[in-house]
Amino acid sequence: MLTIGKLAKQCHVNVETIRYYQRIGLMRVPESTQSYRYYNDKDIETLSFIQKGKDAGLQLSEIQELLQLQLDDREQVRHVIEQRLEKIDQRIQELQALKTRLSSWVDECKTTNQSGCPILKELKNS
């Protein structure tokens, strides 16, 4: 049995992070025993799951959904991850478009003979 401070230290997170996860329903709030809340191996497992999910680029809402699924619910787990992949692909396309736009501004800035900065002119006219 661990106190919140020991749990945080063992899992390399801040105590406030654990409290936040509890507030949003990702982790349970253990009952108080003699003025302390004690955490067990299941809490360590849950916190580790959350950290691994975050490291994999999942949003907390997606992690919460996965925490509620059973090990044999492969189709639903796959669905959650496929949705995340779609969001990542969409963000990549947005970033590619942004990169193209900024690159064209830099190219124009390098090649133009106009007075004044073409980038600033473009931003003011947008």
Side-chain angles (χ1 to χ4, degrees):
M1 301 298 255
L2 302 169
T3 61
I4 194 169
K6 289 180 181 177
L7 175 65
K9 187 173 183 177
Q10 182 171 336
C11 295
H12 309 289
V13 298
N14 190 300
V15 168
E16 289 306 314
T17 300
I18 295 171
R19 289 190 178 124
Y20 175 70
Y21 292 161
Q22 291 172 332
R23 280 194 305 274
I24 65 171
L26 274 177
M27 290 187 68
R28 73 180 184 95
V29 179
E31 291 185 30
S32 294
T33 306
Q34 301 171 2
S35 303
Y36 289 101
R37 295 182 191 274
Y38 289 102
Y39 297 83
N40 57 30
D41 290 340
K42 179 72 173 147
D43 297 311
I44 295 170
E45 214 175 276
T46 300
L47 193 51
S48 176
F49 186 99
I50 294 167
Q51 292 306 110
K52 287 176 184 176
K54 285 181 59 182
D55 290 345
L58 297 173
Q59 301 292 318
L60 291 178
S61 60
E62 295 161 334
I63 293 169
Q64 187 166 29
E65 187 174 349
L66 291 173
L67 278 168
Q68 295 170 357
L69 297 174
Q70 302 299 316
L71 282 176
D72 60 351
D73 199 355
R74 293 170 62 172
E75 187 175 323
Q76 186 59 31
V77 171
R78 189 174 59 247
H79 178 71
V80 170
I81 299 303
E82 286 171 343
Q83 285 182 319
R84 184 66 186 142
L85 284 170
E86 288 174 15
K87 291 176 187 174
I88 289 170
D89 285 339
Q90 181 181 6
R91 185 65 180 140
I92 288 171
Q93 289 174 357
E94 292 169 358
L95 290 171
Q96 289 287 7
L98 181 59
K99 180 180 179 183
T100 300
R101 183 177 184 188
L102 295 176
S103 293
S104 71
W105 286 359
V106 168
D107 290 343
E108 184 180 350
C109 186
K110 287 180 183 176
T111 60
T112 189
N113 293 327
Q114 298 176 2
S115 63
C117 177
I119 296 172
L120 291 178
K121 287 180 183 178
E122 181 69 29
L123 288 170
K124 288 181 181 183
N125 293 330
S126 294

